[in-house]
Amino acid sequence: MEYNKQFFEKVFSTKRMERYFNLYPGDEARAVLHYRCNLELAEAFYTSLSVFEVTLRNALCRELETMTGRPDWYAVFPTTPGLTRLNYYITQASKQIAGRHESITPSKIVAELTLGFWVSLLNSESLPFSVICLSELLPVGSVRRGIVRLR
C-alpha cells in the first residue's frame, strides 16, 4: 500500500492533513514523513502521559479521601460550591460500571473517571477546594508555603 496524500486524507481527513501538505507544497513525501514523525512522537509520550495520569489521580484521591474523611470523597460534590458540575462525571462513571453489571465502589468510580474530570477538578471554578488539596501534594518549599497561605 502506498502512503500518499490521498491515503492520508482518506484515513485522517483532508482538514487534518491540510497543514502538512500546505507546509510542503509540491513535496508530498516530506509532508507524509512529517505527519508520520508526529505520530511517532505522540506514541513516545503515550506511556509517560498514562503513568502521569494514574499517578496524579491516585495522589489526588488520597488527599481527597483525607480531606473529606471518606472513601467516596466525590459524594460531597453536590453540596460543595464550585464542584456540583463535576457530578456529571461521577454519574457517567456510575452508568459505565452499572452497564457492565458490576458493583459500584469508590475505587471503580475513580478508575472510570476521565482525565477531563481531573482537569475540571483543578480548574479555576474549583480553585478554593483544589488549592487545599494540591497544597498537600506539593513538596515542602516556597511554592507550597505560598499556597498554604491562601487557605
Side-chain angles (χ1 to χ4, degrees):
M1 173 176 291
E2 186 180 343
Y3 296 114
N4 58 22
K5 182 177 181 181
Q6 290 72 32
F7 171 82
F8 276 84
E9 286 181 342
K10 181 178 180 181
V11 172
F12 297 109
S13 86
T14 300
K15 187 70 179 160
R16 182 180 191 95
M17 298 307 301
E18 184 176 74
R19 70 181 325 177
Y20 296 93
F21 292 112
N22 287 345
L23 191 58
Y24 305 104
D27 194 347
E28 200 173 286
R30 192 164 180 203
V32 167
L33 177 63
H34 187 156
Y35 188 73
R36 290 178 72 178
C37 287
N38 279 354
L39 289 176
E40 289 177 23
L41 184 60
E43 182 182 2
F45 280 109
Y46 184 79
T47 302
S48 296
L49 287 173
S50 294
V51 169
F52 171 75
E53 180 181 0
V54 171
T55 303
L56 177 64
R57 178 193 75 197
N58 290 344
L60 286 169
C61 284
R62 278 191 302 276
E63 293 308 319
L64 290 164
E65 210 171 302
T66 300
M67 281 176 60
T68 62
R70 54 191 302 166
D72 63 342
W73 45 264
Y74 46 82
V76 305
F77 288 5
T79 58
T80 306
L83 299 179
T84 55
R85 74 195 181 326
L86 296 176
N87 265 351
Y88 168 79
Y89 293 97
I90 306 302
T91 302
Q92 292 304 110
S94 296
K95 285 180 182 177
Q96 291 289 325
I97 296 163
R100 295 190 303 263
H101 307 289
E102 297 176 5
S103 299
I104 298 172
T105 64
S107 61
K108 285 185 182 176
I109 292 282
V110 168
E112 200 69 40
L113 292 171
T114 63
L115 183 58
F117 167 82
W118 301 105
V119 170
S120 295
L121 177 64
L122 300 175
N123 80 11
S124 61
E125 275 185 49
S126 313
L127 191 58
F129 185 80
S130 302
V131 164
I132 293 167
C133 182
L134 283 174
S135 70
E136 298 304 320
L137 295 176
L138 296 172
V140 176
S142 60
V143 174
R144 181 174 177 182
R145 281 194 300 274
I147 290 175
V148 172
R149 278 194 296 267
L150 292 175
R151 289 187 190 176

